Amino acid sequence: MSRSYYRPLVRFDAPEPEGHSLPVAGGPGWFDQAVKYDRGQAPRTVPLEAVPQEWRDRISAPRAPVAGVAMDRCRVMGILNVTPDSFSDGGQYQSSAAALNHARALVKKGADILDVGGESTRPGARTVPREAEIARVEPVIRAIASEIAAPVSIDTRKSVVAEAAVDAGARLVNDISGFVYDPMLARFCTERNLPVCVMHMMGEPETMQDDPKFEDVLLDVYDFLERQILKLEDLGMPRSNIVVDPGIGFGKLMHHNLALLANVSLYHGLGCPILVGASRKGFVGKLTGVEKAAERMPGSVACALAVAAQGVQIVRVHDVAETAQALTMLRAIQGRGKT
């Protein structure tokens, strides 16, 4: 049986009178029109009245705080890789002292959440043994959590790594496999009542860029995220504990990434906060001609602004200060800055 999908056309100017518009995720954005998608048909714009009630309810419902961070505006998740081989900053923050100093700097620059990862998931990367991953992340998270108030997210696919990280002070589990890789991870997070991020990835990091294909990237990613949300709910996890991530760059080609960024508001229909991580990724370099990942800040900030303008709640970035400044300006231009 075919189904329809609805992407709210998010606006931030003065809303229509009550009853003619709805907020997006309980935030400052609102919509009175949506784009309707049906597989095999051209998308078309429809008025609010044509959007089914269940979609209206999920799109408009306020999002619960994530690890204590309110989802009332676009928040910045600062990337802290404690790996020797990450594509942009591998090897820079492997020691606890260097990682803690960088964490302090990220929070000072405007990071609301710190995402610590001990396994590179760049295209072609091989799986890291769990013991090695724990040895990388556990002392770093313990040091950060003992000093810094901002919540720490553990970026891992493995339940044993998540357990060590949470025991050390992590408060959010960010799984790039969308809780497919390790079946025990979802159970652990449910038992501990932890917020989680469910990401879409095509295949494994080692092979994910080997000619990925979709019937319709927007709708295929939506269906995957929805299935994983329902599986987590079946285990007893409340939807209020779930963040979704369309997985920019993870088993996607250039046109897939651009389609997801341009239409990411579709995923408000899942009723969860949306996280987007496009920072310094390869497609940014290909589009702009910037070979070195560390020099892709302007293109990365452009991606963050594009999704923030669609009501996305979290952007995962390397360049925290630049992104936070850009988001402050965006809010002011939209009429939401302090006066």
PDB file of all heavy atoms in Angstrom, residues 32 116 167 248:
ATOM      1  N   ASP A  32       2.330  26.776   7.097  1.00  0.00           N
ATOM      2  CA  ASP A  32       0.929  26.719   6.700  1.00  0.00           C
ATOM      3  C   ASP A  32       0.775  25.989   5.368  1.00  0.00           C
ATOM      4  O   ASP A  32      -0.327  25.872   4.833  1.00  0.00           O
ATOM      5  CB  ASP A  32       0.299  28.113   6.618  1.00  0.00           C
ATOM      6  CG  ASP A  32       0.989  29.015   5.599  1.00  0.00           C
ATOM      7  OD1 ASP A  32       2.004  28.592   4.999  1.00  0.00           O
ATOM      8  OD2 ASP A  32       0.509  30.138   5.395  1.00  0.00           O
ATOM      9  N   VAL A 116      32.026  12.806  21.562  1.00  0.00           N
ATOM     10  CA  VAL A 116      33.335  12.159  21.637  1.00  0.00           C
ATOM     11  C   VAL A 116      33.291  10.835  20.889  1.00  0.00           C
ATOM     12  O   VAL A 116      32.428   9.992  21.143  1.00  0.00           O
ATOM     13  CB  VAL A 116      33.747  11.930  23.107  1.00  0.00           C
ATOM     14  CG1 VAL A 116      35.065  11.162  23.180  1.00  0.00           C
ATOM     15  CG2 VAL A 116      33.865  13.257  23.837  1.00  0.00           C
ATOM     16  N   ASP A 167      29.245   5.087  31.984  1.00  0.00           N
ATOM     17  CA  ASP A 167      29.752   4.971  33.349  1.00  0.00           C
ATOM     18  C   ASP A 167      30.775   6.071  33.649  1.00  0.00           C
ATOM     19  O   ASP A 167      30.934   6.503  34.793  1.00  0.00           O
ATOM     20  CB  ASP A 167      30.381   3.596  33.572  1.00  0.00           C
ATOM     21  CG  ASP A 167      29.338   2.487  33.654  1.00  0.00           C
ATOM     22  OD1 ASP A 167      28.139   2.809  33.830  1.00  0.00           O
ATOM     23  OD2 ASP A 167      29.720   1.309  33.541  1.00  0.00           O
ATOM     24  N   ILE A 248      24.281  12.526   6.483  1.00  0.00           N
ATOM     25  CA  ILE A 248      24.947  13.165   5.354  1.00  0.00           C
ATOM     26  C   ILE A 248      26.330  12.545   5.163  1.00  0.00           C
ATOM     27  O   ILE A 248      27.115  12.441   6.110  1.00  0.00           O
ATOM     28  CB  ILE A 248      25.090  14.686   5.597  1.00  0.00           C
ATOM     29  CG1 ILE A 248      23.725  15.338   5.848  1.00  0.00           C
ATOM     30  CG2 ILE A 248      25.813  15.357   4.435  1.00  0.00           C
ATOM     31  CD1 ILE A 248      22.761  15.266   4.705  1.00  0.00           C
TER      32      ILE A 248
END
